[in-house]
């Protein structure tokens, strides 16, 4: 029950943040917080099938195929990788701001949108190197991924 409550609270707070940032004037739409909140919303939505499977057992998932596991793995990791890249962007922006690096801040702001294509590439690479095991092949977990995140570990 705790993962479901945490997921719900995260989703609600991120939706609130997106609404708040979108109403702000100026550079609100180019805010790293907006990208982070959208990535966390994506993560929360992609986590729902996995959380429900843990709560209600493998009966909830039925007989998921390996393709379903790969899609869930990709969606789950896209949210994770995008949130990580947004957090790295925030940290680098903070350091540039503390060092009064105006040109670096301008470059970071102009290239903020790149976190999405980079995340898609990283996630696709990690998915292609993973080996999914659906509940047909193993008993304890639904959609367990073996050897996943090799690409993500190399990048981060």
């Amino acid at each position: 029950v705790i993962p479901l409550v945490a997921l719900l609270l995260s989703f609600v707070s991120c939706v609130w943040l997106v609404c708040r940032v979108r109403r702000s004037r100026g550079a609100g739409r180019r805010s790293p917080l907006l990208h982070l909140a959208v990535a966390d919303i994506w993560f929360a939505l992609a986590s729902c099938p996995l959380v429900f499977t843990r709560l209600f057992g493998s009966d909830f998932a039925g007989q998921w195929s390996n393709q379903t596991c790969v899609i869930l793995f990709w969606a789950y990791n896209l949210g994770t990788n995008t949130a990580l890249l947004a957090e790295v962007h925030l940290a680098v922006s903070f350091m540039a701001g503390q060092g009064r690096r105006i040109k670096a801040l301008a470059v970071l702001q102009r290239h903020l949108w790149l976190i999405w294509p980079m995340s898609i590439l990283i996630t696709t690479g990690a998915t292609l190197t993973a080996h999914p095991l659906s509940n047909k092949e193993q008993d304890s977990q639904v959609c367990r991924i073996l050897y996943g995140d090799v690409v993500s570990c190399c990048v981060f």
Side-chain angles (χ1 to χ4, degrees):
V1 175
I2 292 174
L4 186 59
V5 171
L7 195 65
L8 182 62
L9 288 174
S10 174
F11 180 79
V12 169
S13 63
C14 287
V15 168
W16 175 84
L17 182 60
V18 166
C19 293
R20 181 77 185 229
V21 170
R22 289 185 56 94
R23 279 188 284 167
S24 68
R25 297 175 193 242
R29 294 179 189 249
R30 291 177 285 167
S31 170
L33 285 177
L34 178 65
H35 291 271
L36 180 59
V38 171
D40 283 342
I41 289 170
W42 180 276
F43 173 78
L45 292 175
S47 298
C48 284
L50 303 174
V51 170
F52 284 134
T53 300
R54 284 206 170 166
L55 287 176
F56 302 116
S58 60
D59 294 336
F60 174 78
Q63 293 295 317
W64 284 355
S65 66
N66 282 347
Q67 290 82 10
T68 306
C69 290
V70 168
I71 290 168
L72 285 174
F73 177 74
W74 187 86
Y76 178 86
N77 277 343
L78 180 65
T80 304
N81 290 333
T82 306
L84 284 172
L85 288 174
E87 289 171 8
V88 167
H89 187 278
L90 278 167
V92 171
S93 297
F94 177 78
M95 300 236 347
Q98 290 299 309
R100 303 200 194 310
R101 306 285 186 210
I102 305 301
K103 289 181 182 177
L105 284 170
V107 169
L108 285 167
Q109 187 175 19
R110 267 194 320 272
H111 294 94
L112 175 62
W113 64 274
L114 285 174
I115 64 172
W116 289 96
M118 286 174 56
S119 181
I120 290 170
L121 287 173
I122 292 167
T123 303
T124 302
T127 303
L128 291 174
T129 61
H131 175 70
L133 292 176
S134 68
N135 58 350
K136 295 176 186 175
E137 298 178 59
Q138 42 91 29
D139 297 327
S140 61
Q141 295 178 327
V142 176
C143 288
R144 189 177 62 163
I145 304 295
L146 296 178
Y147 308 113
D149 290 339
V150 172
V151 175
S152 299
C153 289
C154 292
V155 172
F156 292 114

